[in-house]
Amino acid sequence: MRKLALNDDILMRVEKPARYIGNEFNSVIKDKAEIGLRFALCFPDVYEIGMSHLGIQILYSMFNEWEDVWCERVYSPWMDLDQIMRKEKIPLFCLESQEPVKNMDFLGITIQYEMCYTNILQVLDLSQIPFFSRDRGEDMPIVIGGGPCVYNPEPIADFFDLFYVGEGETQYRRLFDWYLENKHNGGTRQDFLHGAAKIPGIYVPQFYEELYREDGTISSRRKMYEDIPDKILKEIVTDVNEAHYPLKPVVPFIKVTQDRVVLEIQRGCIRGCRFCQAGQIYRPVRERSADKLKDYALEMLKNTGHEEISLSSLSSSDYSQLNELLDFLMKECRDKHVNISLPSLRIDAFSLDVMSKVQDVKKSSLTFAPEAGSQRLRDVINKGLTEEVILKGAALAFEGGWTRVKLYFMLGLPTETEEDILGIGDLSNKIAAVFYETVPKDKRVNGRVQIVASTSFFIPKPFTPFQWAPMCTAKEFLNKAHLARQGIMSQLNQKSIKYNWHEADVSVLEGVLARGDRRVARVILKAYEKGCMFDSWSETFHNDLWLESFSQCGVDIGFYTTRERADDEIFPWDFLDCGVTKEFLLREWKKAKGQTISPNCKAQCQGCGANRFGVGICYEEG
Amino acid sequence: MKIRVKFAKYGAMKFIGHLDMMRFFQKAIRRADIDMKYSEGFSPHQIMSFAAPLGVGIESRGEYMDIEVLSMTSPEDMKQALNRVMVEGVEVLSLSILPDQAKNAMASVAAASYMLKMREGNFPIPELKTRIRDFYNQDNIPYTKETKKNAIELNLKQGIYEIDTDACDTVHMLVNASSSGSIKPAMVFEKLCQFANVEIPKSAYQITRLEIYTDLAKEGEAHRFVPLAEVG
């Protein structure tokens, strides 16, 4: 039997010991004597979050399909275990073998959101791996990062040996082969990194340098070797139907956030909302065939025993074979007592019909994401949802028996006025009014409609048309939230509307990390040294420690957040190429300021540049 | 058709709590493609009940779960199908068909036997062996059970049916596990250590549940404990 890294005494003391023991169904144990390369795959957050991530399951399954590779999982130990491991000097370990991460060939970290940056340092620290790439010796694992935050890796560039830019399915085999070859030839770590820098999609930050002007903006970049690329183009799967899919995902013992079979129906999004990074970096849209997905669904349900299945994509309603797929799933799942959990679909007659078949209408709520309170501002952000469509959808839903509606908005969007903010209350009120007009008094379940309006704060992200936009200060954000609340309180149906808003401080910090450069790295390290960790959890977020760190490092928050960028500014992430051109993004930024919408990819090509990949929607007959 | 499943739980699996074990079996049963009976209603669930929850950290060689199926080939087939989809540390030991009128596992539980064994690296304690008879011969073994709201005074003696050692590092006991008057082996061990005047931290020993029993005695008769697997 496997020996656990933590003794019984420790496991009995920590919350949810199941986070640390591995042994889940479909987890992979290999004979290490037959393994050429060992990979620790880390999601730097707590187990329940990390286990819910599809990308990790894809890489885990693909790596372990290769005979010479053993991939194991690592998650952030929660605060209770973190304290014990520090005190007792227990090195962070992989769940499968329970062996220290520092004994592996690679430590791969998926970077899904900026607020996990201090957790990355926690993982390195507990693993007893030096924070800085330059300080790592020959015997240390190669630390590689992937995921959406890699589209601006500069704030954490010093902590990584490599970044993988783009979709993971394509270049890992080549990277591993080069690693094994270099090891076999007695090559050094530097030899490996140099060779890796020439593999498509691989970025080795220590071979590049950022140079700054007096005003703090970037003047240019320098590279250490002539034979490495100036620009790194993202990797992309050209045939999603042939790409690896994890048909035997690991089945956790404890309840995790996404405790179900996940079917990724497509990659990319046709919509082009101007605030959305995912909508740009995953272009072009590529659909998986419904036939393939049907097979996957049956196989995965059988292999896991999950009692729920859900579809995953950025905009499921745009998937062209949705009806066919859902009809199939509804039929199969009824017989198998499997629930279908539907992603946020566009609210129309079809989706309401499906939802009423698979969900308990009385319990479930409908979600609309208008993102902005007025049509004017929705045009600015290119959110194609009109008030008419929302009200019509709501009326249909109320007729169908729904009584709960969730609405998502953003505050602090470019060009936003007081009127736009008050529009949030107006729209919420109109939806409530539709309920009272549509549903006769004697048929109202619970007597009234429940509307929950939530606002988050807008954070400009790299590779979006809003990458040039200034961001609000925490105080401005809170004033906006206050105004939105007043707007709702003054409505006729205000008793039917509940308002939630996000924390402002954490949004400001996310703003710095999102558009930061290499100078931000020392702030992250300082904050970590002061004890910051799990910054995405409100109970463990310490804004005061972050503010102290910024001031002690002499880094100005406003430079990264509130400053409006000139059209020709060189951004820290400009050396990456996600397929979409900077010219296109600038064009969109100008159209936004002129309140001009852009049609979606299906309606009319906007020439974003993603057609260079030669696949997907760019080449489909419209 | 009612089925009683006996299984063992050990190794890393002892850290999986009761509710998560239920979830584990619900999924395993689907993987094994067992033709389960589901409850009625909007969100039907498998008909499944466990005999007695096992505390986190305790191993077991005698856990019980009752399920209801619509059809099956044979208990042996079902046992094999389940064992093909288990993980290391959970093993289906036996499986039997219950008479329709049989009481469910939980209602049947009367007693459970446990073994407490010093972990490797801990010395045997001779006092355990020399003092155990005197300990058990007391009429009253008072124990104060702290709950969230208050403290309850118990007499453990009534709930200890047998207690013995076969070496200086192992204690066996058979204790009340019924819905009325169930006591935990750790409580008994704590009092034994006090009585023998030795200090043994919780981390020094491993508790293993060996078997769960029902009581076939009629009212007024002496206990007649029979393993749950042997009923029906």
Side-chain angles (χ1 to χ4, degrees), chain A residues 113-140:
Chain A
Y113 32 85
E114 292 83 359
M115 301 320 294
C116 76
Y117 288 176
T118 51
N119 283 38
I120 294 173
L121 297 182
Q122 178 213 20
V123 166
L124 292 172
D125 200 3
L126 292 179
S127 298
Q128 302 168 357
I129 297 172
F131 290 129
F132 291 103
S133 169
R134 58 169 186 265
D135 296 335
R136 288 176 201 142
E138 294 290 330
D139 59 336
M140 281 292 153

Coordinates of all heavy atoms in Angstrom, one line a residue, chain A residues 113-140:
Chain A
Y113 N -6.3 32.5 -12.9 CA -6.7 33.9 -12.5 C -5.6 34.6 -11.7 O -4.8 33.9 -11.1 CB -8.0 33.9 -11.6 CG -8.2 32.7 -10.8 CD1 -7.6 32.6 -9.5 CD2 -9.0 31.6 -11.2 CE1 -7.8 31.5 -8.7 CE2 -9.1 30.5 -10.4 CZ -8.5 30.4 -9.2 OH -8.7 29.3 -8.4
E114 N -5.5 35.9 -11.8 CA -4.4 36.6 -11.3 C -4.3 36.5 -9.7 O -3.2 36.6 -9.2 CB -4.6 38.1 -11.6 CG -4.4 38.5 -13.1 CD -5.7 38.2 -13.9 OE1 -6.7 37.8 -13.3 OE2 -5.7 38.5 -15.1
M115 N -5.5 36.3 -9.1 CA -5.4 36.3 -7.6 C -4.8 35.0 -7.1 O -4.8 34.9 -5.8 CB -6.8 36.5 -7.1 CG -7.5 37.8 -7.5 SD -6.4 39.2 -7.5 CE -6.0 39.4 -5.8
C116 N -4.3 34.2 -7.9 CA -3.6 33.0 -7.4 C -2.1 33.2 -7.4 O -1.4 32.2 -7.1 CB -4.0 31.7 -8.2 SG -3.2 31.7 -9.8
Y117 N -1.6 34.4 -7.8 CA -0.1 34.5 -7.9 C 0.6 34.2 -6.6 O 1.7 33.6 -6.6 CB 0.2 35.9 -8.4 CG -0.2 36.1 -9.9 CD1 0.0 37.4 -10.5 CD2 -0.7 35.1 -10.7 CE1 -0.3 37.5 -11.9 CE2 -1.0 35.3 -12.0 CZ -0.9 36.5 -12.6 OH -1.2 36.7 -13.9
T118 N 0.1 34.7 -5.5 CA 0.8 34.4 -4.2 C 0.7 32.9 -3.9 O 1.6 32.3 -3.3 CB 0.2 35.2 -3.0 OG1 -1.2 35.0 -3.0 CG2 0.5 36.6 -3.1
N119 N -0.3 32.2 -4.4 CA -0.4 30.8 -4.2 C 0.7 30.0 -5.0 O 1.2 29.0 -4.5 CB -1.8 30.2 -4.6 CG -2.8 30.5 -3.6 OD1 -2.8 31.6 -3.0 ND2 -3.7 29.6 -3.3
I120 N 1.1 30.6 -6.1 CA 2.2 30.0 -6.9 C 3.4 30.0 -6.0 O 4.2 29.0 -5.9 CB 2.4 30.8 -8.2 CG1 1.1 30.6 -9.1 CG2 3.6 30.3 -8.9 CD1 1.1 31.4 -10.4
L121 N 3.6 31.2 -5.3 CA 4.8 31.3 -4.5 C 4.7 30.3 -3.3 O 5.7 29.7 -2.9 CB 5.0 32.7 -4.0 CG 5.3 33.7 -5.1 CD1 5.5 35.1 -4.6 CD2 6.5 33.3 -6.0
Q122 N 3.5 30.1 -2.8 CA 3.3 29.2 -1.7 C 3.7 27.8 -2.2 O 4.5 27.0 -1.5 CB 1.9 29.1 -1.2 CG 1.6 28.1 -0.1 CD 0.2 27.5 -0.2 OE1 -0.5 27.5 -1.3 NE2 -0.3 27.0 0.9
V123 N 3.3 27.4 -3.4 CA 3.6 26.1 -3.9 C 5.1 25.9 -4.1 O 5.7 24.9 -3.7 CB 2.9 25.8 -5.2 CG1 3.4 24.6 -6.0 CG2 1.4 25.6 -5.0
L124 N 5.8 26.9 -4.6 CA 7.2 26.8 -4.8 C 7.9 26.7 -3.4 O 8.8 25.9 -3.2 CB 7.7 28.0 -5.6 CG 7.3 28.2 -7.0 CD1 7.7 29.5 -7.6 CD2 8.0 27.0 -7.9
D125 N 7.5 27.6 -2.5 CA 8.1 27.6 -1.2 C 7.9 26.3 -0.5 O 8.9 25.7 0.0 CB 7.3 28.7 -0.4 CG 8.2 29.3 0.8 OD1 9.3 28.8 0.9 OD2 7.6 30.1 1.5
L126 N 6.7 25.8 -0.4 CA 6.5 24.5 0.3 C 7.2 23.4 -0.4 O 7.6 22.4 0.2 CB 5.0 24.2 0.4 CG 4.2 25.1 1.3 CD1 2.7 24.7 1.3 CD2 4.7 25.1 2.8
S127 N 7.4 23.5 -1.7 CA 8.1 22.4 -2.5 C 9.6 22.5 -2.3 O 10.3 21.7 -2.7 CB 7.8 22.6 -4.0 OG 6.4 22.4 -4.2
Q128 N 10.0 23.6 -1.6 CA 11.5 23.9 -1.4 C 12.2 24.1 -2.7 O 13.3 23.7 -2.9 CB 12.1 22.7 -0.5 CG 11.4 22.6 0.8 CD 11.7 21.3 1.6 OE1 12.5 20.5 1.1 NE2 11.2 21.2 2.8
I129 N 11.5 24.8 -3.6 CA 12.1 25.2 -4.9 C 12.3 26.7 -4.9 O 11.4 27.4 -4.4 CB 11.1 24.8 -6.1 CG1 10.9 23.3 -6.2 CG2 11.6 25.4 -7.4 CD1 9.8 22.9 -7.2
P130 N 13.5 27.1 -5.2 CA 13.7 28.6 -5.2 C 12.7 29.4 -6.0 O 12.2 28.9 -7.0 CB 15.1 28.8 -5.8 CG 15.8 27.4 -5.6 CD 14.7 26.4 -5.7
F131 N 12.3 30.6 -5.5 CA 11.3 31.4 -6.1 C 11.7 31.8 -7.5 O 10.9 31.8 -8.5 CB 11.0 32.7 -5.3 CG 10.4 32.5 -4.0 CD1 10.9 33.0 -2.9 CD2 9.2 31.7 -3.9 CE1 10.3 32.8 -1.6 CE2 8.6 31.6 -2.7 CZ 9.1 32.1 -1.6
F132 N 13.0 32.2 -7.7 CA 13.4 32.7 -8.9 C 14.0 31.7 -9.8 O 14.9 30.9 -9.4 CB 14.4 33.9 -8.7 CG 13.8 35.1 -8.1 CD1 14.0 35.4 -6.7 CD2 13.0 35.9 -8.8 CE1 13.3 36.5 -6.1 CE2 12.4 37.0 -8.3 CZ 12.6 37.3 -6.9
S133 N 13.6 31.7 -11.1 CA 14.1 30.8 -12.1 C 15.7 30.8 -12.1 O 16.3 29.7 -12.1 CB 13.6 31.2 -13.5 OG 14.3 30.5 -14.5
R134 N 16.3 32.0 -12.0 CA 17.7 32.1 -12.1 C 18.5 31.4 -10.9 O 19.6 31.1 -11.0 CB 18.2 33.5 -12.1 CG 17.7 34.4 -11.0 CD 18.3 35.8 -10.9 NE 17.9 36.4 -9.7 CZ 16.9 37.2 -9.6 NH1 16.1 37.5 -10.6 NH2 16.6 37.8 -8.4
D135 N 17.7 31.1 -9.8 CA 18.4 30.5 -8.6 C 18.2 29.0 -8.6 O 18.6 28.4 -7.6 CB 17.7 31.1 -7.3 CG 18.0 32.6 -7.2 OD1 19.0 33.0 -7.8 OD2 17.2 33.3 -6.5
R136 N 17.6 28.4 -9.6 CA 17.3 27.0 -9.5 C 18.5 26.2 -10.1 O 19.0 26.5 -11.2 CB 16.1 26.7 -10.3 CG 14.8 27.1 -9.5 CD 13.5 26.9 -10.3 NE 12.5 27.8 -9.7 CZ 11.6 28.5 -10.4 NH1 11.5 28.3 -11.7 NH2 10.8 29.3 -9.8
G137 N 18.9 25.2 -9.3 CA 20.0 24.3 -9.7 C 19.6 23.3 -10.7 O 18.4 23.1 -11.0
E138 N 20.6 22.5 -11.1 CA 20.3 21.4 -12.1 C 19.3 20.4 -11.6 O 18.7 19.7 -12.4 CB 21.7 20.7 -12.5 CG 22.7 21.6 -13.2 CD 22.3 21.9 -14.6 OE1 21.6 21.1 -15.2 OE2 22.6 23.0 -15.1
D139 N 19.3 20.2 -10.3 CA 18.4 19.1 -9.8 C 17.0 19.5 -9.5 O 16.2 18.7 -9.1 CB 19.1 18.6 -8.5 CG 19.2 19.7 -7.4 OD1 19.3 20.8 -7.8 OD2 19.3 19.3 -6.2
M140 N 16.7 20.8 -9.8 CA 15.4 21.3 -9.5 C 14.4 21.0 -10.7 O 14.9 21.0 -11.8 CB 15.4 22.8 -9.2 CG 15.9 23.1 -7.8 SD 14.6 22.6 -6.6 CE 15.6 22.3 -5.2

